Amino acid sequence: CWEVRKHNSSEWCSFIQSTPDCQMDGGFLDYLHGVFCVFPPRLLPLAVTLYALWLLYLFIILGVTAEKFFCPNLSAISTNLKLSHNVAAFSLTSPLHGVTFLAFGNGAPDVFSAVVAFSDPRTAGLAIGAIFGAGVFVTTVVAGGIALVKPFTAASRPFLRDVIFYMLAVFLTFMVLYLGRIRLGEALGEHCDGLGAVGAAWGCCNPLSFPIPGYLGLYVFYVFTVVLCTWIHRRQQGDGPALPGPWEPEMPTDTEEPESSGLSSSDYGEEYRPLLPSQETSLRILTTALSPLDCRKWRRKPWYWRLFKVFRMPVELVLLLTVPVVDPDKDDLNWKRPLNCLHILTSPLLCILTLKSGSYGLYQIQGVFPVWGLVALVGSVLALIVFVATSNEEPPKYHCVFAFLGFLASAMWINAAAMELVNILRTFGIIFQLSNTVLGLTLLAWGNSIGDTFSDITMARQGYPRMAFSACFGGIIFNILVGVGLGCLLQMSSSQPLVKLEPDSLLVWVLAGALGLSLAFSFVAVPAQCFHLGKAYGVCLIAYYLVFLCVALLTEFRVIHLSTP
């Protein structure tokens, strides 16, 4: 499909329509058809500008969905499963919660983008570029920014543990890229015989017929190591809180109230609560719950926050209509009877209409009745039953089910946005003749990492640089191991006998080598400084990323290349 720009502009549309490689397999919009057929050639800059704005808005959709809906429902599910949220020594949360639910919530955009990109061999380079590019960006720019903002002493054992596991993941990817494939069956070794796709993803074997840990298997071992190390540390400390380091303030205690993740404007402190309790009508509850804007907060915020909020409000309104949120920190668990009953109808409709780009939802049962109509009918009946059987004041006993429903609905939203994101980046690659790898390590990596950047830097400014630094190395382990492992596993579950991960250019090796070198630098430099990280360390990391970015771009434009005999 890259050949389209080499033809005359009058032939662009016919080339796109007649070339199988130009067909979009998933997604709701055909971006290639739009830019080359709908817009005339002289308006190509306008089309690119509109696509760029839509790309930015897709990143907003991913961020809002993950932050306000996906993560709170994951937190509610973990609470329902009796997983602790207490802050332990040298750990953000309880070990199992931190490396599973919390990591899944924070890395949801990266993982879903990788899974979507791996589903099509033409966009697999996007996944490799995004995962590795985000890894280099977070471990250099974000980690260096934390050291510049607030010098501190890093937690030694968690840092060494995370860096070692991350280097193992990079080495595993090096090996996969060298082999060019993840093969099934006996070609990978007798230890994988009969295991099929699951065996290859959980424990791939090399051609020398001895097993090596796969991506998902390595992550399970990482989770086990985190739980075991934290348990041993707590036993050594006598289950008491660890003393703060010389550069670390006291950690917040469990009695401090975290900021609510819901969008309701009804809980803003004791001074805003009415003196006498009153029963609100269902209509007022519905309108209040659907309001993504709080007037008091609007007046306190600066102009740039208001401008960004204006762009977020349409997304938040649609998400409020389709995704329920259960908040364990509230007395009523964020139970909004009329809105939650509406969710019984809208959430299943959302799931069926976004699955496989709506092909399942539009399927006609015996050629007469659409699937989405049946889902709407059943959802309406269930919503009516729940509305009659419940009250506005007290959530029902089965309210936890709404957390699972909200988790599924928000996951479908993230998956749909990630699908559009991958398709529009592929379109940019065809328009500008750029490889998927360079688009992944720049636009996709920056977009998925911008939220982590602001949150980690803000956390460091507030006096918790150790916590922010741990998140830099701990969170991206989940992204690379689960993103690549799950993406390959889902692709191998089809009729494909193997997954090809052949590097399409020298840039892939530059990217993988840069990530490995940055991890090796931190692995040596941090202990050499007795784990005290200052501004010099931060400047070195940021300078390293700038050099890497220059080398990557020079490699992409063939300024740096391998000489062929």
Side-chain angles (χ1 to χ4, degrees), residues 12-24:
W12 285 353
C13 184
S14 59
F15 181 87
I16 290 294
Q17 293 175 343
S18 60
T19 305
D21 188 57
C22 295
Q23 305 305 314
M24 296 285 185

Side-chain angles (χ1 to χ4, degrees), residues 204-278:
C204 299
C205 301
N206 62 358
L208 300 179
S209 73
F210 60 87
I212 61 174
Y215 286 95
L216 299 179
L218 184 59
Y219 186 71
V220 171
F221 183 61
Y222 169 70
V223 172
F224 173 77
T225 304
V226 171
V227 173
L228 180 62
C229 292
T230 306
W231 179 78
I232 293 175
H233 180 74
R234 286 176 174 174
R235 289 291 299 270
Q236 292 176 347
Q237 297 293 325
D239 293 330
L243 296 176
W247 293 84
E248 197 77 22
E250 292 287 344
M251 297 293 291
T253 61
D254 295 338
T255 57
E256 296 182 10
E257 288 291 333
E259 184 179 354
S260 175
S261 58
L263 294 175
S264 174
S265 59
S266 60
D267 189 10
Y268 288 93
E270 293 288 342
E271 65 271 21
Y272 297 120
R273 295 182 181 178
L275 296 177
L276 297 177
S278 60

Side-chain angles (χ1 to χ4, degrees), residues 77-96:
I77 292 174
S78 65
T79 300
N80 187 61
L81 296 177
K82 309 300 182 183
L83 295 178
S84 173
H85 290 258
N86 294 332
V87 179
F90 302 116
S91 179
L92 287 175
T93 58
S94 69
L96 185 59

Side-chain angles (χ1 to χ4, degrees), residues 321-441:
L321 280 169
T322 55
V323 183
V325 177
V326 177
D327 191 351
D329 296 325
K330 292 185 177 181
D331 294 335
D332 61 352
L333 303 178
N334 200 38
W335 166 250
K336 311 296 181 183
R337 175 173 165 242
L339 181 58
N340 289 142
C341 291
L342 182 63
H343 287 149
I344 299 176
L345 170 63
T346 58
S347 294
L349 275 178
L350 166 74
C351 295
I352 198 65
L353 290 177
T354 54
L355 187 64
K356 290 292 183 180
S357 302
S359 57
Y360 290 160
L362 299 177
Y363 176 77
Q364 301 279 337
I365 302 176
Q366 295 184 350
V368 178
F369 199 70
V371 173
W372 69 264
L374 178 62
V375 172
L377 181 62
V378 175
S380 300
V381 174
L382 290 177
L384 183 61
I385 294 174
V386 172
F387 187 82
V388 173
T390 57
S391 63
N392 292 333
E393 291 76 22
E394 184 179 357
K397 295 181 180 180
Y398 49 83
H399 187 225
C400 61
V401 177
F402 285 89
F404 292 91
L405 182 62
F407 164 77
L408 180 61
S410 56
M412 296 304 297
W413 267 114
I414 294 176
N415 182 72
M419 179 72 72
E420 301 301 315
L421 194 66
V422 169
N423 287 341
I424 200 170
L425 286 176
R426 178 171 177 256
T427 302
F428 280 152
I430 294 173
I431 294 175
F432 297 109
Q433 301 290 288
L434 297 174
S435 67
N436 288 328
T437 305
V438 74
L439 290 172
L441 72 91

Side-chain angles (χ1 to χ4, degrees), residues 294-311:
D294 176 63
C295 296
R296 303 184 187 93
K297 193 173 183 180
W298 175 272
R299 289 192 293 265
R300 296 196 305 265
K301 294 296 182 178
W303 66 270
Y304 54 85
W305 183 92
R306 299 180 185 181
L307 180 61
F308 186 60
K309 183 66 175 180
V310 170
F311 287 105

Side-chain angles (χ1 to χ4, degrees), residues 22-56:
C22 295
Q23 305 305 314
M24 296 285 185
D25 294 333
F28 295 93
L29 300 176
D30 192 343
Y31 298 101
L32 285 174
H33 181 271
V35 73
F36 290 114
C37 296
V38 176
F39 288 89
R42 66 179 182 276
L43 293 182
L44 182 61
L46 175 61
V48 171
T49 303
L50 294 177
Y51 280 16
L53 294 176
W54 175 233
L55 178 68
L56 294 177

Side-chain angles (χ1 to χ4, degrees), residues 2 117-118 120-130 132 176-181 426 429 433-441 500-512 552 555-556 558 560-562:
W2 275 31
F118 274 122
D120 189 346
R122 298 172 299 181
T123 57
L126 273 175
I128 296 295
F132 274 22
V176 169
L177 291 174
Y178 177 77
L179 297 176
R181 63 190 179 273
R426 178 171 177 256
Q433 301 290 288
L434 297 174
S435 67
N436 288 328
T437 305
V438 74
L439 290 172
L441 72 91
K500 292 185 178 181
L501 291 178
E502 298 178 356
D504 54 1
S505 65
L506 177 64
L507 181 59
V508 176
W509 297 110
V510 171
L511 180 58
T555 305
E556 171 66 19
R558 303 293 190 271
I560 299 177
H561 60 277
L562 294 177

